[in-house]
Amino acid sequence: MTIEYTATNRNDYTGNGINTIYNFTFKVLKQLNAAKNKNYTIKVIISENDVKTELTEDVDYTVALESNGFGTITFTTAPTSTQQIVFLNEILRTQEADYINIGSGKFPADSHEKALDKLTLICKEQDEAIGRAILLDETSNLSNITLPINTGNADKALVINSSGDNLAAKNLADIGLAPVTDFAKTLLDDTSNIEARTTLNVYSKSEVYNKSESDNLITEATTTTQGISYLDKPITIANNATDADHDMDFGAGNFDFDDGSGQAVVSALTKQFDNTFALGANAGGMVSGESIPASGFIYVYAISTADGSLTDIIGTTTEDGSTISTDSVVSANSLNKKQYLGAIPTDASNNILAGKWYVSKDGYGFRYTKAIQDVYIIPSASTEYTRSLSVPAKENVLVIGSAHANTGTSGSDVLRINYGSPDEDLTVLTSVDLVDLASSGDSIRYARRDKPFYTSTAEMKFYVTSSSVARSFYFKTNGWEEKY
């Protein structure tokens, strides 16, 4: 038979779960392949979810060959819509023609033609395979190109080498793609968290906890150092210059939803907490039905729609934000995602107190412009006291303040006090937080101790271990940090 040139030496189909018969439109030979239990040179492949399976003739399918070499494949089970079907030629590389002239010397044309047909089909089969290969351009004079595939190059990228004459395996950080800056490369090649922190010039978690405010780990919100906060761009808080008693300024930033479902961006805006909440800048900020409390706190939340298309800032007198969803504007605009930002203190006249808000590694902090004396007492020995503090009544509030004691002037008097969280048992401590001693003939003596401690009830507790004479103890609250 003659074999004309065609571009097709394969057929591709997608199953539908119904059809079992599919045509192949290239020449196939009837040729025994004992190794694969095949009678025909066609190869049938099913691919599903990138898994390739070669089917078995007379088990998974049968072949019907027509006189022109074309034909049909009939599957035992109809391929499904998720299965890709591929028909290819697979001809044994053998030479079976045997030219024997018997007597007449007649040329064995039939045998010769069959051999030529086989060679031609093999060439077409190879053309199809080469067509799926990566080839050099016709103008290239390169040769002996090798693929550097070995275990040492695992998880590396295949690139053209610097000479442009072969392939090489490189780490992604070494390729030099435009989006990867030189600084980013110095981070990507770090092999440990210690090296990465050195590159980024940041502290570890334990180092942060061991640093004090004087080490500048707490950054004023108006000059936030990116990387110290958990947020990519924290929302800053500041007293408004025009109406500092009632309005607050919030800087542009982003926040994570407290249910973990997403993140949103807030534009810079001013909220008026002496007015009921309304959308946008220079608009009301309090939940409807609530107002600025006297000697209390406004708990501020960033709020958003689920898709982040609408965001705002709102204040409430409920520390858990439970009344935010009852606000009519909030519910009408589906602002049902939120994140707590911080607490704003107020005075007895329902005005916002002045101070500085800070962004720290773990949350927000506040410092009063002038420290508030929350405790003053002449305590009795072996007595435990609990007193309220000017900090929010929320979980994980770190109180920043100082404890003070004054002596009397008579004799060798002494005052020893332990103080801290309301949850602590101060009576069992062997060390003493604050010791104030005076020897005979001394004038009034003074002692001070700065020791931060946590509270969730806006209270502190102190225990007087000994007091030989009447002397005073007082505590000044400088501010707090809220740990998220």
Side-chain angles (χ1 to χ4, degrees):
M1 63 181 174
T2 60
I3 300 177
E4 71 280 3
Y5 174 79
T6 61
T8 301
N9 202 50
R10 62 181 285 160
N11 293 121
D12 294 89
Y13 299 99
T14 300
N16 59 11
I18 300 174
N19 292 346
T20 57
I21 301 175
Y22 293 84
N23 297 324
F24 54 88
T25 58
F26 52 87
K27 297 282 174 54
V28 170
L29 301 177
K30 183 173 183 179
Q31 185 180 62
L32 179 65
N33 183 345
K36 290 193 173 184
N37 297 316
K38 293 171 62 173
N39 295 307
Y40 299 90
T41 61
I42 191 168
K43 182 177 184 179
V44 179
I45 299 171
I46 291 289
S47 177
E48 184 174 17
N49 297 327
D50 294 327
V51 177
K52 182 180 74 172
T53 304
E54 182 178 349
L55 302 187
T56 303
E57 185 181 308
D58 291 332
V59 175
D60 302 310
Y61 66 91
T62 57
V63 182
L65 191 64
E66 299 173 359
S67 59
N68 60 0
F70 298 170
T72 58
I73 295 292
T74 302
F75 289 98
T76 304
T77 302
T80 67
S81 59
T82 61
Q83 294 179 321
Q84 305 300 312
I85 307 164
V86 181
F87 298 154
L88 296 168
N89 239 335
E90 186 180 46
I91 301 173
L92 290 175
R93 278 28 172 191
T94 59
Q95 205 294 99
E96 298 172 351
D98 188 9
Y99 297 118
I100 301 176
N101 294 326
I102 303 174
S104 64
K106 182 179 179 181
F107 183 75
D110 288 344
S111 298
H112 185 73
E113 183 182 6
K114 289 179 180 179
L116 291 175
D117 289 345
K118 179 178 179 181
L119 290 174
T120 302
L121 290 173
I122 289 174
C123 290
K124 287 169 63 63
E125 180 185 332
Q126 291 181 333
D127 283 344
E128 190 279 331
I130 293 172
R132 287 183 278 109
I134 299 174
L135 303 177
L136 295 174
D137 187 81
E138 290 179 331
T139 60
S140 175
N141 60 1
L142 297 177
S143 60
N144 299 319
I145 304 297
T146 57
L147 290 174
I149 298 177
N150 53 63
T151 55
N153 288 332
D155 296 324
K156 293 183 178 180
L158 194 63
V159 299
I160 299 174
N161 66 11
S162 58
S163 302
D165 58 6
N166 213 324
L167 299 175
K170 285 193 173 185
N171 292 313
L172 290 174
D174 297 328
I175 294 175
L177 296 175
V180 182
T181 64
D182 290 339
F183 173 76
K185 291 179 186 178
T186 64
L187 178 63
L188 291 173
D189 63 9
D190 289 342
T191 59
S192 68
N193 59 354
I194 297 175
E195 289 183 11
R197 287 198 300 271
T198 300
T199 300
L200 294 173
N201 193 27
V202 297
Y203 292 102
S204 68
K205 184 176 181 179
S206 60
E207 289 172 328
V208 169
Y209 289 154
N210 290 329
K211 294 289 182 178
S212 66
E213 184 179 345
S214 61
D215 291 308
N216 201 29
L217 290 187
I218 299 177
T219 307
E220 190 170 343
T222 53
T223 56
T224 299
T225 300
Q226 194 168 357
I228 293 178
S229 173
Y230 286 136
L231 297 173
D232 293 333
K233 188 177 181 182
I235 300 167
T236 61
I237 306 175
N239 291 101
N240 178 261
T242 303
D243 185 2
D245 290 338
H246 308 110
D247 298 356
M248 296 295 296
D249 296 333
F250 298 90
N254 58 11
F255 65 98
D256 295 321
F257 302 155
D258 61 8
D259 61 3
S261 63
Q263 191 179 53
V265 176
V266 173
S267 300
L269 49 80
T270 298
K271 299 304 288 186
Q272 302 167 349
F273 290 104
D274 53 345
N275 291 311
T276 299
F277 176 72
L279 294 174
N282 299 309
M286 287 298 292
V287 168
S288 58
E290 298 182 10
S291 59
I292 297 178
S295 300
F297 291 91
I298 303 171
Y299 298 96
V300 178
Y301 286 78
I303 53 177
S304 174
T305 55
D307 61 2
S309 60
L310 180 62
T311 58
D312 215 303
I313 303 289
I314 194 169
T316 175
T317 55
T318 55
E319 59 90 10
D320 62 357
S322 57
T323 60
I324 294 175
S325 60
T326 65
D327 185 273
S328 58
V329 177
V330 169
S331 59
N333 290 277
S334 299
L335 295 164
N336 51 14
K337 300 296 180 180
K338 69 181 189 307
Q339 176 59 270
Y340 175 68
L341 296 182
I344 299 173
T346 63
D347 63 18
S349 300
N350 305 84
N351 294 323
I352 294 173
L353 286 170
K356 289 284 188 179
W357 279 263
Y358 297 85
V359 181
S360 71
K361 179 180 181 297
D362 299 314
Y364 280 81
F366 175 79
R367 299 294 183 273
Y368 288 104
T369 301
K370 182 179 180 181
I372 297 178
Q373 182 171 296
D374 282 323
V375 178
Y376 178 82
I377 190 173
I378 298 177
S380 301
S382 303
T383 305
E384 186 176 81
Y385 300 88
T386 300
R387 292 293 185 270
S388 297
L389 299 177
S390 299
V391 300
K394 286 185 68 71
E395 293 290 334
N396 299 319
V397 170
L398 181 66
V399 178
I400 308 297
S402 56
H404 306 258
N406 286 336
T407 70
T409 57
S410 58
S412 300
D413 48 8
V414 62
L415 177 66
R416 297 173 183 267
I417 292 181
N418 287 321
Y419 71 96
S421 168
D423 299 327
E424 295 181 81
D425 186 355
L426 303 176
T427 63
V428 300
L429 296 180
T430 56
S431 61
V432 179
D433 289 326
L434 186 66
V435 180
D436 186 12
L437 298 172
S439 60
S440 178
D442 279 355
S443 59
I444 293 177
R445 296 291 300 274
Y446 168 80
R448 170 176 172 164
R449 173 75 188 276
D450 299 333
K451 182 190 78 169
F453 57 90
Y454 284 97
T455 179
S456 59
T457 60
E459 294 175 318
M460 72 173 297
K461 185 166 65 176
F462 55 95
Y463 177 74
V464 183
T465 61
S466 63
S467 178
S468 58
V469 296
R471 55 177 65 215
S472 62
F473 169 79
Y474 56 101
F475 185 86
K476 290 184 177 181
T477 302
N478 296 318
W480 69 87
E481 294 176 18
E482 297 186 63
K483 306 296 183 179
Y484 295 162

